[in-house]
Amino acid sequence: MPSMTHMALVELEKAGILKFVISQNVDGLHLRSGIPREKLAELHGNSFMETCPSCSAEYLRDFEVETIGLKETSRRCSDEKCGAKLRDTVLDWEDALPPKEMNLAEKHCRMGDVVLCLGTSLQITPACNLPLKSLRGGGKIVIVNLQQTPKDKKASLVIHGFVDKVIAGVMEWLNMQIPPYIRIDLFQTILTQSLSSDKKFVNWTIRIASVHGLSAPLPFIKSVEVSFSDSQNYKEATLNTQPFLLKRRTVRTETFEMFLKLKFSDGCGCLSTQIKIPFNFQASTEDFKLDKKATFEKMRDVAIQDSSCGQNSVVERRTVLVPKSEITVHAVVTNVRTFDCHISNGDLKPRKEGLQGSETTTRKRSKGRKRKMSS
């Protein structure tokens, strides 16, 4: 999850103080926290991002992409006019830095009044030299890191300490609140129905799947318990492995309700959530699509007010005639995390984990290694 520092940067950006973020990490947490994509350069890529080499469309996933090194993945661009095979965005050692990201990073460093270097050893070239570009225009460098860095002598201020602690002090001094982190994930339920050969029964299947594709993993769901309003005639079931799929046969004229209890994976802020799915073979479902941004804002407000997660909402429903299917997209709050930036006797109250003065990439990088510059 994004740390106190990640969320503080979001608030500073909204206030117009922070103009741009440059990240060497591949964990995708700046995007997840709420930094706008156009104000972020991810120099080494993003483990949760796929991109289309043909039309340049980007796809942020809720699961870690299976490859690195700009290789083809198992998915395609969803644009009907394109359909090219997607690629991961994480660089391997022989890969050049992406020119688009690097050019933006250089531009903003030259324009910056102050470049904050937070929790980085400043040893991986060429990224480590970016802050120096601000000096030519009269800008200043501030370094916050537990250890010394090769650029300390160039900085106007160096603080050898925990980034969260320093940023909490900055936010308190500015009299600014650090916003909570509310994570909202999406999944889809697919109810498929067909008549038996004698027309007396309905063969149906309920599937809980990722919105990123039927074969994509659902990392935040551990298991699904299925129960029914008519418990005497319908046996409960527990789905413990993906794909979460249940097949049944019922009499054509019967109607009932299904209850899906989704148990969340470790790391989520609550244990489970429950959704209800009405079953009626005769009824026709109208398609609709809600304003996702407005729906998310309402869910965030409720999550903050209740200080809990598990809230869910339907955001889209569509039908397919052959085979007869009802596809519903659900949003669910899977994490709520609040931050207290008040400092007492030099300590955070309560202390939160976060950037601890070291690079938080998901892959270890050797000290002093260089990356190729793009031509």
Side-chain angles (χ1 to χ4, degrees), residues 27-184:
D27 53 27
L29 290 180
H30 285 298
L31 271 182
R32 189 74 65 190
S33 65
I35 294 293
R37 180 67 181 97
E38 65 273 14
K39 295 186 178 182
L40 173 66
E42 295 181 306
L43 299 183
H44 297 163
N46 186 329
S47 292
F48 297 85
M49 182 81 77
E50 292 176 286
T51 186
C52 178
S54 179
C55 68
S56 301
E58 293 182 329
Y59 298 86
L60 183 63
R61 307 302 191 186
D62 55 18
F63 57 89
E64 195 166 9
V65 178
E66 61 271 22
T67 62
I68 66 167
L70 314 180
K71 298 182 181 66
E72 288 185 352
T73 67
S74 58
R75 290 162 292 278
R76 290 182 176 272
C77 181
S78 58
D79 189 332
E80 294 180 357
K81 297 179 181 179
C82 182
K85 287 187 175 181
L86 300 179
R87 292 181 179 270
D88 72 78
T89 63
V90 177
L91 304 186
D92 211 340
W93 282 112
E94 66 271 13
D95 297 318
L97 292 176
K100 180 182 177 181
E101 308 288 314
M102 194 65 180
N103 291 340
L104 279 173
E106 290 180 345
K107 172 187 173 183
H108 284 278
C109 282
R110 290 193 188 100
M111 296 168 58
D113 299 312
V114 177
V115 177
L116 300 177
C117 303
L118 304 178
T120 172
S121 63
L122 291 171
Q123 295 189 71
I124 300 177
T125 59
C128 67
N129 293 319
L130 285 171
L132 303 181
K133 297 184 182 297
S134 67
L135 300 177
R136 300 173 188 174
K140 296 181 179 181
I141 299 173
V142 174
I143 298 174
V144 183
N145 195 60
L146 283 177
Q147 299 85 23
Q148 294 181 347
T149 80
K151 311 301 181 186
D152 285 0
K153 293 181 180 180
K154 301 286 187 179
S156 298
L157 175 64
V158 176
I159 303 175
H160 294 304
F162 290 99
V163 174
D164 274 359
K165 186 174 179 180
V166 174
I167 292 299
V170 170
M171 297 298 283
E172 186 176 29
W173 187 82
L174 291 172
N175 197 27
M176 296 177 68
Q177 296 294 318
I178 299 178
Y181 171 63
I182 311 295
R183 174 157 177 155
I184 299 178

